[in-house]
Amino acid sequence: AQSVAQPEDQVNVAEGNPLTVKCTYSVSGNPYLFWYVQYPNRGLQFLLKYITGDNLVKGSYGFEAEFNKSQTSFHLKKPSALVSDSALYFCAVRTSGTYKYIFGTGTRLKVLA
Amino acid sequence: EPEVTQTPSHQVTQMGQEVILRCVPISNHLYFYWYRQILGQKVEFLVSFYNNEISEKSEIFDDQFSVERPDGSNFTLKIRSTKLEDSAMYFCASSEARQPGTEAFFGQGTRLTVV
């Protein structure tokens, strides 16, 4: 069965420090990987995606993510965290032959001033 | 920036009642989805819809659920006879293409509370 794991329910980081939000996946076939962010009372906002090619992808608001095929991971990173980055982050995967995005359980990021 | 909009933001209904959740997808998108998130749990796929028919559905999407695109702009999810376990946040989404590398855009959600 296809699945996505986000092992940390919450990540705390000081403002200005680098942040990493972890995601691993398990699929048969090639994965198409996505990160979404949810602010309070808002929908899921698309941040970035990996389809193919360069393993490091850049997205909105200075976020980037690194695809690692051997470790089946797609960790979200940012070199310098802002308090405004505090939100709920979801990793998702999709494969060919299906319309559905499979989501992880979400990681709450708290950036402390 | 175009966005997916959902109404209402919060709906409270009695068990056994019918509810209709409404969504206006992004105007040039052709693929539509419903997802739900029970409090503290994963975001789960319910159904995808294209060209006026269901293209894929999950095991959650049983006979109590139906979807419709009644006009050129709205996309609705109907739950015929609500159960307590239907209480969740329901997200509508749309995408412009079917390729698996295409991102979906999500609405802000409707919180359904069944009492």
Tab-separated table of all heavy atoms in Angstrom, chain A residues 13-19 61-63 77-83 85 111:
chain	number	residue	atom	x	y	z
A	13	VAL	N	11.845	25.506	16.205
A	13	VAL	CA	13.132	26.035	15.750
A	13	VAL	C	13.168	27.525	16.078
A	13	VAL	O	12.128	28.198	16.084
A	13	VAL	CB	13.327	25.760	14.243
A	13	VAL	CG1	12.276	26.480	13.414
A	13	VAL	CG2	14.714	26.122	13.790
A	14	ALA	N	14.341	28.008	16.379
A	14	ALA	CA	14.491	29.432	16.671
A	14	ALA	C	14.539	30.220	15.368
A	14	ALA	O	15.076	29.752	14.350
A	14	ALA	CB	15.765	29.674	17.477
A	15	GLU	N	13.972	31.416	15.421
A	15	GLU	CA	13.999	32.279	14.239
A	15	GLU	C	15.438	32.510	13.780
A	15	GLU	O	16.323	32.746	14.596
A	15	GLU	CB	13.324	33.618	14.568
A	15	GLU	CG	13.112	34.513	13.355
A	15	GLU	CD	12.342	35.774	13.675
A	15	GLU	OE1	12.457	36.266	14.826
A	15	GLU	OE2	11.628	36.271	12.790
A	16	GLY	N	15.643	32.402	12.473
A	16	GLY	CA	16.975	32.600	11.920
A	16	GLY	C	17.764	31.311	11.748
A	16	GLY	O	18.745	31.282	11.003
A	17	ASN	N	17.319	30.271	12.439
A	17	ASN	CA	17.994	28.971	12.309
A	17	ASN	C	17.437	28.197	11.123
A	17	ASN	O	16.302	28.431	10.698
A	17	ASN	CB	17.808	28.150	13.589
A	17	ASN	CG	18.750	28.610	14.691
A	17	ASN	OD1	19.499	29.572	14.517
A	17	ASN	ND2	18.698	27.944	15.830
A	18	PRO	N	18.221	27.257	10.611
A	18	PRO	CA	17.683	26.421	9.523
A	18	PRO	C	16.627	25.466	10.066
A	18	PRO	O	16.673	25.068	11.238
A	18	PRO	CB	18.920	25.654	9.030
A	18	PRO	CG	19.892	25.704	10.153
A	18	PRO	CD	19.622	26.949	10.916
A	19	LEU	N	15.670	25.127	9.198
A	19	LEU	CA	14.629	24.179	9.611
A	19	LEU	C	14.565	23.007	8.637
A	19	LEU	O	14.884	23.146	7.452
A	19	LEU	CB	13.264	24.871	9.711
A	19	LEU	CG	12.585	25.339	8.433
A	19	LEU	CD1	11.732	24.235	7.791
A	19	LEU	CD2	11.695	26.551	8.722
A	61	TYR	N	8.247	31.042	-0.801
A	61	TYR	CA	8.642	31.568	0.504
A	61	TYR	C	10.031	31.093	0.955
A	61	TYR	O	10.291	31.018	2.152
A	61	TYR	CB	7.603	31.203	1.578
A	61	TYR	CG	6.180	31.464	1.157
A	61	TYR	CD1	5.245	30.440	1.113
A	61	TYR	CD2	5.757	32.736	0.796
A	61	TYR	CE1	3.941	30.677	0.715
A	61	TYR	CE2	4.455	32.983	0.391
A	61	TYR	CZ	3.553	31.933	0.358
A	61	TYR	OH	2.254	32.165	-0.046
A	62	GLY	N	10.915	30.765	0.012
A	62	GLY	CA	12.275	30.368	0.358
A	62	GLY	C	12.443	28.909	0.758
A	62	GLY	O	13.523	28.501	1.175
A	63	PHE	N	11.367	28.143	0.665
A	63	PHE	CA	11.457	26.724	0.993
A	63	PHE	C	12.077	25.922	-0.151
A	63	PHE	O	11.945	26.278	-1.316
A	63	PHE	CB	10.073	26.153	1.313
A	63	PHE	CG	9.576	26.528	2.674
A	63	PHE	CD1	8.778	27.648	2.859
A	63	PHE	CD2	9.911	25.770	3.789
A	63	PHE	CE1	8.327	28.012	4.114
A	63	PHE	CE2	9.456	26.119	5.049
A	63	PHE	CZ	8.669	27.241	5.212
A	77	LYS	N	13.050	21.958	3.656
A	77	LYS	CA	14.092	22.720	4.338
A	77	LYS	C	13.944	24.205	4.051
A	77	LYS	O	13.350	24.608	3.039
A	77	LYS	CB	15.481	22.252	3.869
A	77	LYS	CG	15.730	20.790	4.105
A	77	LYS	CD	17.129	20.374	3.684
A	77	LYS	CE	17.289	18.880	3.912
A	77	LYS	NZ	18.666	18.418	3.837
A	78	LYS	N	14.520	24.976	4.980
A	78	LYS	CA	14.639	26.408	4.745
A	78	LYS	C	15.884	26.877	5.491
A	78	LYS	O	16.064	26.518	6.659
A	78	LYS	CB	13.395	27.143	5.241
A	78	LYS	CG	13.379	28.617	4.864
A	78	LYS	CD	12.055	29.274	5.208
A	78	LYS	CE	12.084	30.736	4.783
A	78	LYS	NZ	10.842	31.453	5.150
A	79	PRO	N	16.733	27.646	4.856
A	79	PRO	CA	18.007	28.029	5.494
A	79	PRO	C	17.842	28.896	6.742
A	79	PRO	O	18.621	28.799	7.671
A	79	PRO	CB	18.745	28.794	4.392
A	79	PRO	CG	18.078	28.399	3.120
A	79	PRO	CD	16.649	28.102	3.471
A	80	SER	N	16.802	29.748	6.742
A	80	SER	CA	16.644	30.678	7.858
A	80	SER	C	15.145	30.840	8.151
A	80	SER	O	14.416	31.442	7.363
A	80	SER	CB	17.275	32.025	7.492
A	80	SER	OG	17.105	32.952	8.539
A	81	ALA	N	14.707	30.300	9.267
A	81	ALA	CA	13.276	30.286	9.589
A	81	ALA	C	12.776	31.657	10.030
A	81	ALA	O	13.501	32.427	10.682
A	81	ALA	CB	13.005	29.257	10.689
A	82	LEU	N	11.510	31.920	9.693
A	82	LEU	CA	10.824	33.131	10.136
A	82	LEU	C	9.671	32.743	11.052
A	82	LEU	O	9.080	31.664	10.876
A	82	LEU	CB	10.262	33.891	8.932
A	82	LEU	CG	11.243	34.367	7.870
A	82	LEU	CD1	10.496	34.898	6.667
A	82	LEU	CD2	12.173	35.422	8.453
A	83	VAL	N	9.324	33.647	11.968
A	83	VAL	CA	8.171	33.375	12.836
A	83	VAL	C	6.923	33.115	11.995
A	83	VAL	O	6.096	32.259	12.320
A	83	VAL	CB	7.955	34.546	13.812
A	83	VAL	CG1	6.649	34.377	14.578
A	83	VAL	CG2	9.131	34.652	14.790
A	85	ASP	N	6.649	31.510	9.385
A	85	ASP	CA	6.631	30.150	8.820
A	85	ASP	C	5.875	29.177	9.715
A	85	ASP	O	5.624	28.037	9.318
A	85	ASP	CB	8.060	29.631	8.623
A	85	ASP	CG	8.820	30.389	7.551
A	85	ASP	OD1	8.177	30.883	6.606
A	85	ASP	OD2	10.058	30.494	7.682
A	111	VAL	N	8.111	28.365	14.978
A	111	VAL	CA	9.336	29.157	14.932
A	111	VAL	C	9.267	30.174	16.059
A	111	VAL	O	8.351	30.988	16.127
A	111	VAL	CB	9.505	29.858	13.580
A	111	VAL	CG1	10.817	30.639	13.561
A	111	VAL	CG2	9.471	28.846	12.439
